[in-house]
């Protein structure tokens, strides 16, 4: 049935059409659409059948005026194709769909105070009920401290230093597990290829690596630096490939580990016979590296679910004894890390 043609104009069905077909009042249709509990089952089914027959689509703006709820959440995201931030956004969107929420995304190239505030203001103009800010950079944590918003805001991926409600991975613990695994394999020390200095993940993973070496009485080597890319891992690998003292490397992400592996292969170094390598993230391709990469896995689906859960609790005013939620990563053992060679 759907729409009715009048000359060349097509009229979309309205709530009055649904009420007429179902034989009920306009108010009853509204109660069914808004999930009101006091509607007889038979009446509810007639209304739903009429909605399906007419292919009626409720006016979300009008519904929001009545219910004062838009069923829309805002996400401020760092404009990046990097696996971590992109997967955080995907995890939040998936969790929101499961909870019957729409998501409006504002992508930024810079996470400074002005840009974040302007993005939140744009989302507020769209009537969002709450905002999640994906904040992987140190500058974003400072921006969030100055943020003004009349709706709840939750930080995602901001490490342990954010003062607002926050969900993130325990990057320090993940680095500790990776470093300890290599020490337990008999390596005297572990070299580290860190990410960019302005990123929370980079700082926390480096801290976890360093603290584990110090706690184990191992020498702390000079830190190598990369930019999360396979290219930077390759360049670092070329520098260390012929250093006989390097027997184990913990890379701050899997893409840098991929580049490192390529450089080591080109130099003829056996992996893990001569050098063991561990990454971080467990990207989908990690199992297909040569050799398959031992890495620290982050569950981005769980992060999205917990971020949405925290935001919805903030919406209804649930008091939190602890509003900083950290998700523990897990080691994925493959074939790139093995026992230290004894000459």
């Amino acid at each position: 049935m759907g729409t009715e043609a009048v000359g060349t104009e097509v009229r979309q069905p309205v709530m009055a059409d649904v009420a007429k077909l179902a034989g009920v009042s306009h108010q009853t249709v509204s109660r069914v659409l808004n999930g009101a509990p006091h509607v007889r089952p038979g009446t509810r089914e007639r209304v739903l059948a009429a909605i399906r027959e007419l292919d009626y689509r409720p006016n979300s703006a009008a519904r929001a005026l009545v219910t004062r709820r838009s069923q829309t959440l805002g996400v401020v995201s760092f404009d990046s194709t990097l696996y971590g931030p992109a997967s955080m956004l995907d995890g939040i969107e998936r969790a929101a769909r499961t909870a019957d929420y729409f998501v409006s995304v504002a992508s930024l190239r810079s996470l400074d105070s002005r840009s974040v505030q302007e993005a939140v203001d744009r989302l507020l103009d769209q009537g969002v009920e709450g905002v999640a800010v994906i904040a992987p950079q140190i500058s974003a944590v400072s921006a969030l401290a100055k943020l003004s918003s009349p709706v709840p805001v939750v930080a995602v991926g901001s490490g342990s230093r954010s003062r607002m409600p926050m969900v993130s991975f325990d990057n320090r613990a993940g680095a500790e597990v990776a470093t300890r695994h290599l020490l337990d394999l008999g390596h005297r020390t572990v070299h580290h290829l860190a990410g960019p200095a302005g990123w929370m993940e980079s700082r926390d993973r480096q801290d976890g690596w360093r603290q584990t070496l110090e706690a184990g009485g191992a020498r702390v080597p000079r830190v190598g630096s990369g930019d999360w890319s396979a290219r930077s891992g390759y360049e670092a690998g070329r520098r260390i490939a012929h250093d006989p003292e390097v027997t184990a490397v913990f890379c701050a992400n899997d893409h840098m580990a991929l580049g490192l592996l390529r450089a080591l292969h080109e130099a003829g170094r056996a992996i893990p016979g001569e050098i063991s390598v561990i990454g971080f993230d467990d990207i989908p391709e990690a199992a297909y590296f040569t050799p398959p990469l031992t890495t620290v896995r982050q569950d981005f689906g769980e992060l999205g679910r917990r971020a949405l859960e925290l935001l919805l609790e903030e919406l209804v005013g649930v008091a939190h004894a602890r509003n900083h939620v950290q998700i523990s990563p897990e080691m994925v053992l493959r074939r790139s890390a093995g026992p230290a060679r004894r000459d």
Side-chain angles (χ1 to χ4, degrees):
M1 193 168 178
T3 59
E4 298 178 7
V6 181
T8 59
E9 183 181 354
V10 177
R11 184 176 73 84
Q12 296 294 330
V14 296
M15 193 179 294
D17 298 322
V18 176
K20 182 178 180 181
L21 182 59
V24 298
S25 68
H26 179 281
Q27 290 81 359
T28 297
V29 175
S30 178
R31 286 197 291 271
V32 171
L33 289 173
N34 292 319
H38 304 300
V39 179
R40 293 177 180 177
T43 301
R44 186 185 301 277
E45 184 52 44
R46 288 206 314 277
V47 171
L48 294 176
I51 289 172
R52 289 192 294 269
E53 183 175 343
L54 292 170
D55 195 23
Y56 170 69
R57 295 290 184 269
N59 185 316
S60 58
R63 177 194 252 180
L65 287 173
V66 175
T67 64
R68 298 184 183 274
R69 299 193 60 184
S70 64
Q71 289 297 114
T72 302
L73 301 173
V75 178
V76 177
S77 175
F78 180 55
D79 185 13
S80 174
T81 58
L82 289 171
Y83 180 74
S87 298
M88 289 178 190
L89 175 58
D90 181 67
I92 294 170
E93 288 183 312
R94 288 175 180 269
R97 285 198 298 272
T98 301
D100 293 326
Y101 271 85
F102 298 102
V103 171
S104 183
V105 181
S107 295
L108 302 178
R109 292 188 179 276
S110 174
L111 292 175
D112 58 87
S113 297
R114 179 177 178 181
S115 298
V116 172
Q117 184 65 64
E118 289 177 349
V120 170
D121 290 343
R122 290 200 304 273
L123 293 170
L124 291 172
D125 289 341
Q126 299 174 30
V128 299
E129 297 180 35
V131 177
V133 180
I134 297 175
Q137 294 180 322
I138 295 172
S139 61
V141 177
S142 300
L144 290 174
K146 303 173 184 176
L147 184 64
S148 173
S149 172
V151 302
V153 177
V154 168
V156 181
S158 60
S160 58
R161 295 170 174 83
S162 175
R163 294 184 178 181
M164 64 169 44
M166 173 276 296
V167 177
S168 68
F169 293 110
D170 193 340
N171 289 286
R172 185 178 284 104
E176 289 171 355
V177 170
T179 306
R180 171 52 55 193
H181 179 67
L182 290 167
L183 292 177
D184 288 345
L185 287 171
H187 296 277
R188 292 187 175 91
T189 190
V190 178
H191 287 71
H192 181 48
L193 178 55
W199 289 69
M200 299 299 302
E201 290 99 332
S202 179
R203 187 162 73 179
D204 286 349
R205 292 169 195 176
Q206 185 174 328
D207 287 348
W209 161 79
R210 185 184 303 277
Q211 290 168 6
T212 305
L213 291 181
E214 291 174 346
R219 178 177 64 87
V220 180
R222 180 180 177 182
V223 176
S225 61
D227 61 6
W228 301 129
S229 70
R231 177 190 54 78
S232 66
Y234 177 77
E235 292 173 352
R238 292 183 65 184
R239 290 193 295 270
I240 69 171
H242 301 290
D243 185 345
E245 292 189 359
V246 179
T247 67
V249 183
F250 165 50
C251 297
N253 79 336
D254 289 349
H255 284 102
M256 292 194 298
L258 171 61
L260 180 76
L261 290 174
R262 171 65 182 272
L264 296 178
H265 283 305
E266 289 181 353
R269 302 298 298 272
I271 306 164
E274 295 179 82
I275 299 181
S276 291
V277 178
I278 292 181
F280 205 110
D281 281 341
D282 193 27
I283 63 176
E285 300 83 4
Y288 303 97
F289 287 5
T290 303
L293 184 66
T294 291
T295 185
V296 179
R297 180 174 183 268
Q298 303 187 88
D299 188 341
F300 290 101
E302 176 68 5
L303 178 134
R305 187 187 70 78
R306 297 289 291 274
L308 187 75
E309 181 180 84
L310 183 59
L311 185 54
L312 295 181
E313 289 177 352
E314 292 287 326
L315 280 172
V316 298
V318 173
H320 291 278
R322 184 173 65 91
N323 63 1
H324 279 202
V325 179
Q326 285 199 309
I327 300 171
S328 297
E330 60 178 310
M331 282 285 295
V332 179
L333 300 178
R334 296 194 179 101
R335 297 206 303 273
S336 66
R341 184 184 64 183
R342 293 297 180 221
D343 295 332

